[in-house]
Amino acid sequence: DLRRTVKLANLRIFFNTYVSLGILSFLLTMLLSFLLSLVIFMDFSVFAFAKYISLSLLMGLIVLAGLYYYPRIIMDSRRREIKQDLPFAIIHMAAVAGSGAQLVTVFSMIVESNEYKGLEGEIKRILNYVNLFGYNMSTALRAVAENTPSNEFKELLNGMIETVESGGSLKNYLKNKADDIMTTYKL
């Protein structure tokens, strides 16, 4: 669950590194809170040591819980931003695709407009897959759809993949999708 959440949060860190950082933070927090308790309370009885260890364990668990929930908070934030920008971005894409532009051009124009901050990272990843790594458009869309936190955006990308691979009209697909999503947005 944590591996998937870290991936969907788009944290630029390997999962194993994130877990190692969490364990290190847990241990350091425990050590520092134990030493700080010793310095502050200056009580060296057995009962006091048990309290210090309990306090340091509690502090370590709080840090560990924070590191566990941090990717989920980032993922939920990204999901909200994408949901907020998606209806208007689809309308923009439909307008650009209506002029007969290629899908790469549609995505480039969306990024260049700087109007859709929630979608910018996702669309830049699509463009990087196509322009830098040489993926074809279907593969790039599939890779981003797999790692996006938004189900609506995933649905849009999967629909684009089906349309591109079946030879359908991207212009009609985006127009219909824009109509549907605006109705949903209004409701």
Side-chain angles (χ1 to χ4, degrees), residues 37-130:
S37 297
L38 279 175
V39 170
I40 291 174
F41 298 115
M42 291 293 207
D43 187 5
F44 300 110
S45 67
V46 173
F47 182 69
F49 272 104
K51 285 194 311 187
Y52 301 157
I53 290 173
S54 299
L55 179 66
S56 64
L57 183 62
L58 178 67
M59 296 301 288
L61 289 175
I62 289 172
V63 166
L64 206 56
L67 287 170
Y68 180 79
Y69 286 106
Y70 175 71
R72 185 169 306 280
I73 292 168
I74 298 297
M75 181 186 75
D76 289 342
S77 173
R78 287 185 60 223
R79 182 181 292 138
R80 270 192 311 279
E81 290 172 357
I82 290 171
K83 186 175 184 174
Q84 180 180 342
D85 288 345
L86 192 59
F88 306 106
I90 292 175
I91 292 170
H92 192 160
M93 284 190 258
V96 174
S99 69
Q102 295 286 329
L103 194 51
V104 174
T105 308
V106 171
F107 286 130
S108 295
M109 291 184 79
I110 293 293
V111 169
E112 289 171 5
S113 72
N114 289 325
E115 292 180 29
Y116 312 106
K117 295 296 181 191
L119 288 169
E120 194 171 280
E122 306 292 315
I123 294 175
K124 280 183 179 179
R125 284 193 353 220
I126 293 170
L127 292 173
N128 285 341
Y129 283 141
V130 172

Side-chain angles (χ1 to χ4, degrees):
D1 183 44
L2 182 61
R3 180 184 303 270
R4 180 94 175 122
T5 306
V6 167
K7 192 173 191 177
L8 291 177
N10 200 23
L11 298 178
R12 288 169 172 41
I13 189 170
F14 292 118
F15 175 72
N16 292 339
T17 307
Y18 190 78
V19 170
S20 297
L21 246 143
I23 293 169
L24 180 67
S25 298
F26 170 74
L27 293 173
L28 284 176
T29 301
M30 281 185 55
L31 178 67
L32 290 175
S33 61
F34 180 77
L35 293 175
L36 193 61
S37 297
L38 279 175
V39 170
I40 291 174
F41 298 115
M42 291 293 207
D43 187 5
F44 300 110
S45 67
V46 173
F47 182 69
F49 272 104
K51 285 194 311 187
Y52 301 157
I53 290 173
S54 299
L55 179 66
S56 64
L57 183 62
L58 178 67
M59 296 301 288
L61 289 175
I62 289 172
V63 166
L64 206 56
L67 287 170
Y68 180 79
Y69 286 106
Y70 175 71
R72 185 169 306 280
I73 292 168
I74 298 297
M75 181 186 75
D76 289 342
S77 173
R78 287 185 60 223
R79 182 181 292 138
R80 270 192 311 279
E81 290 172 357
I82 290 171
K83 186 175 184 174
Q84 180 180 342
D85 288 345
L86 192 59
F88 306 106
I90 292 175
I91 292 170
H92 192 160
M93 284 190 258
V96 174
S99 69
Q102 295 286 329
L103 194 51
V104 174
T105 308
V106 171
F107 286 130
S108 295
M109 291 184 79
I110 293 293
V111 169
E112 289 171 5
S113 72
N114 289 325
E115 292 180 29
Y116 312 106
K117 295 296 181 191
L119 288 169
E120 194 171 280
E122 306 292 315
I123 294 175
K124 280 183 179 179
R125 284 193 353 220
I126 293 170
L127 292 173
N128 285 341
Y129 283 141
V130 172
N131 296 331
L132 296 178
F133 300 125
Y135 287 17
N136 64 21
M137 184 54 75
S138 297
T139 306
L141 292 173
R142 195 170 282 115
V144 172
E146 185 177 309
N147 295 318
T148 186
S150 169
N151 291 330
E152 294 89 2
F153 190 58
K154 182 182 292 192
E155 181 183 321
L156 173 72
L157 295 179
N158 287 329
M160 286 179 167
I161 292 167
E162 291 175 19
T163 303
V164 167
E165 289 180 349
S166 68
S169 171
L170 189 64
K171 171 185 164 183
N172 291 338
Y173 172 73
L174 287 173
K175 184 184 177 313
N176 291 336
K177 195 68 177 169
D179 293 341
D180 290 344
I181 205 157
M182 275 314 287
T183 302
T184 305
Y185 182 77
K186 287 176 184 177
L187 290 175

